[in-house]
Amino acid sequence: MPIAVHTLGVAVFALGTSEFMLSGLLPAVADDMNVSVPRAGLLISAFAIGMVVGAPLLAATTLRLPRRATLIALISVFGLGQIAGALAPSYAVLFASRVVSALACAGFWAVGASVAVAMVPVTQRARAIAVMLGGLSLANVLGVPAGAFLGDHFGWRSAFWAVAGASALALVGVVLLVPRIAPPAEQPVLRRELVIYRDRQVWLAVVALAAGGVFCAFSYLAPLLTDVAGLGDGWVPGVLALFGVGALIGTAIGGRVTDGRLFTVLFSGIAASTVFLGSLALFSASAVAVVILAFLLGVSAFYTGPALNARVFEVAGAAPTLAGATATASFNLGNTAGPWLGGTVIDVGWGYEAAAWAGAGLTVSALGVVAVSVRVRGSAEGSPTPPLPETGAPPQTPLLKRRRG
């Protein structure tokens, strides 16, 4: 595996840390900016909104630009966004810095994935993507708890400075280690790829409700731990790290069992998340229960990740430029709606445990969407094979159907 691919993984570590670290910093940010905790939670939604908009937009607008130069520009803008956040004199400036950082993050994800697979043989493409995703998993295991630790001891702005430093290291790595990628022999045509959005299966595959349910509760885990479960601030980094360990385990298990069992994984994982969210709401006053459930929620939430992404690529495989962007946008659509809904139920005075109840409601809805997707997929498999794309690519036979054959 080229060292350049690992360099991209380091960059993703910085990106992922920035996206999720506010979960452990919300009380401090709210206090410093003189806003409520739910309003501070909208900073998580702001980043997610930038990802939702930025993933397909930047995948399209940078389609014909040099890959390496684009990565350099995007990681530079992201780093500057972290500096702007660290120096933000007001909530509005901090909010804007989150949106700008998210746009750069989304673009780096879309371009970085294409660069990673271009640097390795076809037989190692999945492994290259796994290295990048490993950076995101490490962000949950190490980066987010480290951000909470820095925020607790040196102020929340120190976490932004730390991510800016990690971004600078990633920038140096990209400049020195990522080679120039030759453009493809035939440029993809965006107009042809946009046709996939006419397919209702693409929209049903975007199960943003699953991610939204988990992050509805996870975004307010820090105040739940301290204000409801009665744990001290020093416990927050450790519990966030435990969630990250669960996420790492869930991703590993889901990646191994999804192939050939896609919808089984979706149903079982989302159902488990629903049970854990309901239990988190019921036993929120028990510190032991909350700690254990945080770990289990990390497992169940990320266990479904490979299946959710595989489903998007299954139905949007004829659009290589937009398939990955669609998967990223769907996840962050949930990461936008979840914190907003959690903040809304907290604002009306129902308490931090109400965010877990609201999250469980979203995951129940997600189960319904998956059920409809199964029905639609069954109907589509009986339809005639679609014609080949004009690019000459092989037909995109559904993954599971191809394996059964």
Side-chain angles (χ1 to χ4, degrees):
M1 187 61 54
I3 192 172
V5 176
H6 292 283
T7 300
L8 295 176
V10 172
V12 169
F13 171 80
L15 303 178
T17 298
S18 178
E19 180 172 7
F20 298 121
M21 69 180 181
L22 275 184
S23 299
L25 301 173
L26 284 186
V29 172
D31 183 61
D32 188 38
M33 292 292 176
N34 294 316
V35 297
S36 66
V37 170
R39 191 179 180 197
L42 291 179
L43 294 169
I44 300 174
S45 295
F47 197 99
I49 289 171
M51 291 286 286
V52 170
V53 175
L57 178 64
L58 286 168
T61 56
T62 64
L63 190 61
R64 298 179 182 274
L65 298 178
R67 306 287 82 184
R68 179 173 174 273
T70 302
L71 288 176
I72 292 173
L74 290 171
I75 196 64
S76 298
V77 172
F78 176 81
L80 291 174
Q82 301 309 297
I83 294 174
L87 298 173
S90 66
Y91 176 84
V93 174
L94 181 58
F95 191 96
S97 75
R98 296 293 287 170
V99 174
V100 171
S101 296
L103 290 171
C105 177
F108 193 95
W109 261 108
V111 178
S114 65
V115 169
V117 299
M119 289 189 292
V120 298
V122 175
T123 55
Q124 293 188 356
R125 286 183 174 179
R127 187 178 163 202
I129 293 296
V131 170
M132 291 189 64
L133 291 175
L136 184 61
S137 297
L138 286 176
N140 280 285
V141 175
L142 299 176
V144 174
F149 177 84
L150 289 173
D152 188 37
H153 290 80
F154 305 103
W156 65 268
R157 296 175 189 270
S158 65
F160 280 77
W161 284 114
V163 175
S167 304
L169 290 176
L171 172 61
V172 173
V174 172
V175 171
L176 297 179
L177 300 173
V178 175
R180 297 182 185 276
I181 304 298
E186 182 179 354
Q187 291 283 356
V189 179
L190 185 63
R191 178 174 52 84
R192 296 174 188 164
E193 298 197 9
L194 288 172
V195 176
I196 67 167
Y197 292 115
R198 297 178 184 174
D199 185 354
R200 58 179 175 168
Q201 290 191 83
V202 172
W203 296 105
L204 288 174
V206 182
V207 193
L209 293 168
V214 172
F215 285 98
C216 184
F218 178 75
S219 299
Y220 302 98
L221 185 58
L224 180 72
L225 288 167
T226 56
D227 294 4
V228 182
L231 291 173
D233 292 340
W235 279 86
V236 174
V239 177
L240 292 176
L242 198 59
F243 177 91
V245 171
L248 197 60
I249 294 172
T251 301
I253 297 173
R256 286 182 177 274
V257 304
T258 291
D259 200 16
R261 305 178 184 86
L262 191 149
F263 284 106
T264 300
V265 170
L266 286 179
F267 274 120
S268 60
I270 296 173
S273 291
T274 303
V275 172
F276 297 148
L277 286 167
S279 299
L280 186 64
L282 287 172
F283 303 106
S284 57
S286 169
V288 174
V290 171
V291 171
I292 294 173
L293 288 167
F295 168 75
L296 294 175
L297 191 59
V299 175
S300 65
F302 282 79
Y303 166 74
T304 58
L308 289 169
N309 280 275
R311 179 58 180 155
V312 174
F313 277 94
E314 182 184 71
V315 298
T321 305
L322 293 181
T326 300
T328 300
S330 68
F331 174 80
N332 284 281
L333 187 61
N335 202 13
T336 301
W340 171 82
L341 178 61
T344 299
V345 298
I346 293 169
D347 260 342
V348 299
W350 292 347
Y352 291 114
E353 58 269 35
W357 282 124
L362 288 178
T363 52
V364 168
S365 301
L367 288 172
V369 174
V370 175
V372 175
S373 188
V374 171
R375 187 179 184 88
V376 171
R377 179 178 182 271
S379 301
E381 286 189 346
S383 62
T385 303
L388 286 174
E390 295 180 29
T391 58
Q396 300 296 326
T397 307
L399 177 63
L400 302 183
K401 185 176 180 181
R402 181 168 65 246
R403 288 191 176 274
R404 286 198 298 270

